[in-house]
């Protein structure tokens, strides 16, 4: 049986034909609201088991601020990009008097749901999140928003709810990277991407495809793969490189996948970049630890984290209305190194 959506102050306001501020004052027993209206609103709230997020409310409406804690959900601690986003969130939050509480979803939907519930129970004033790969239902995010908890997505955004978000320009990052490969003489460029359910994968794929079409190279589905980690890249790349019409370049959704392609090509006796060019997307520490060093699209994770924290704090402190979905884009840049001509 589907869980009933929790009652929000906006619902109560709609029921009585008043503003959310009036509902808030009535629930706090403010003498500014008539005794009759206060009693009616309070009774309605009790009957419908209304439970406000007290920390978020006090932050929005009081000058006396309690401990300010932001919940942060990351898919993986070990991923360079997510750790750099976390650094940006912590730096921005700390500079403005906030602390962070961090949890890892491990790319699992069920774990993500539990973290959201735990954060709410611990009265965080808002949540910053990059959704797990296998998240296909969004009720847990909508529930938080209905309860008045500010929510900001970064990187992997949730299109199922109208929440604030910070993304990099995935489309242009991919488009510029593939354009570079073409302009350096590559004509048959393979694509390794994440599951198409993720917006970042769709956007990077579209940038890849449009660059091919712009230069009249035509799209070939036979050299595209769902592959977003090094182990899988090392397992499937030999197949492509043994084809009669093998790719002369690869564009990968992240650096780890690109590095898997790089070392597979070298093990097979191919020269990089003379025989095969490789381009990644992240610009993490591993990009300069491989041989040759990796050409890649820089995502600027620290900047993404700073922007996400800035929006979240704006929601909490009332600078950005809760019902306004703020959207910010962080520009990428192509870092050209030794794996491309």
């Amino acid at each position: 049986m589907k869980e009933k959506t929790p009652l929000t102050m906006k619902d109560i306001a709609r029921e009585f034909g008043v503003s959310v501020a009036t509902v808030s004052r009535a629930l706090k027993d403010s003498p500014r609201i008539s005794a009759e209206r206060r009693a009616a609103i309070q009774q309605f709230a009790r009957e419908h088991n209304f439970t406000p997020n007290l920390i978020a409310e006090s932050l929005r409406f009081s000058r006396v601020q309690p401990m300010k804690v932001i919940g942060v959900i990351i898919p993986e601690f070990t991923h360079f990009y997510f750790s750099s986003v976390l650094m940006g969130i912590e730096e921005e939050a700390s500079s403005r008097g906030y602390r962070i509480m961090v949890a890892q979803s491990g790319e699992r939907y069920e774990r993500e749901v539990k973290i959201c519930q735990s954060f709410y129970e611990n009265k965080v004033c808002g949540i910053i999140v990059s959704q797990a790969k296998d998240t296909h239902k969004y009720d847990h995010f909508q529930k938080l928003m209905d309860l008045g908890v500010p929510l900001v997505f970064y990187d992997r955004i949730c299109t199922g709810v109208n929440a604030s978000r910070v993304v990099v320009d995935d489309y242009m990052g991919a488009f510029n990277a593939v354009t570079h490969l073409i302009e350096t003489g590559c004509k048959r460029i393979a694509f390794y991407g994440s599951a198409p359910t993720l917006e970042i994968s769709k956007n990077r794929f579209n940038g890849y495809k449009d660059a091919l079409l712009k230069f009249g190279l035509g799209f070939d589905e036979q050299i595209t793969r769902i592959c977003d980690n090094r182990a899988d890249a090392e397992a499937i790349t030999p197949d492509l490189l043994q084809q009669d019409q093998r790719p002369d370049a690869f564009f990968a959704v992240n650096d780890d996948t690109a590095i898997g392609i790089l070392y597979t090509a070298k093990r097979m006796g191919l020269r990089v970049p003379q025989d095969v060019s490789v381009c990644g997307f992240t610009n993490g520490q591993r990009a300069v630890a491989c041989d040759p060093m990796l050409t890649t699209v820089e995502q600027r994770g620290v900047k993404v984290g700073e922007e996400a924290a800035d929006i979240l704090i704006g929601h909490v402190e009332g600078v950005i209305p809760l019902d306004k979905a703020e959207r910010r884009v962080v520009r990428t840049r192509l870092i050209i190194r030794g794996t491309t001509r």
Side-chain angles (χ1 to χ4, degrees), residues 241 260-272 290-292:
L241 289 178
I261 297 166
L262 165 63
Y263 282 111
T264 299
K266 289 176 66 176
R267 279 196 299 269
M268 294 177 68
L270 295 169
R271 299 169 301 162
V272 179
C290 55
D291 180 27

Side-chain angles (χ1 to χ4, degrees), residues 27 45 47 61 82 84 97 103 116 121 137 220 226 271 299 330:
L27 293 175
E47 288 173 351
F61 298 112
F82 294 128
S84 63
C116 286
E121 290 170 355
K137 294 187 293 184
D220 184 355
I226 302 299
R271 299 169 301 162
Q299 280 184 277
V330 173

Side-chain angles (χ1 to χ4, degrees), residues 46 74 94 96 99 108 113 117 138 140 149 167 201 214 234 245-246 264 288 311 314 321 337:
R46 283 193 299 272
I74 67 173
S94 177
R96 297 170 67 173
R99 295 195 295 152
R108 300 195 304 276
V113 172
Q117 180 63 30
Y138 313 114
H140 55 306
V149 180
V167 296
S201 188
K214 177 185 176 182
E234 291 183 354
Q245 289 186 302
R246 64 170 174 79
T264 299
V288 293
I311 295 173
R337 297 194 181 101

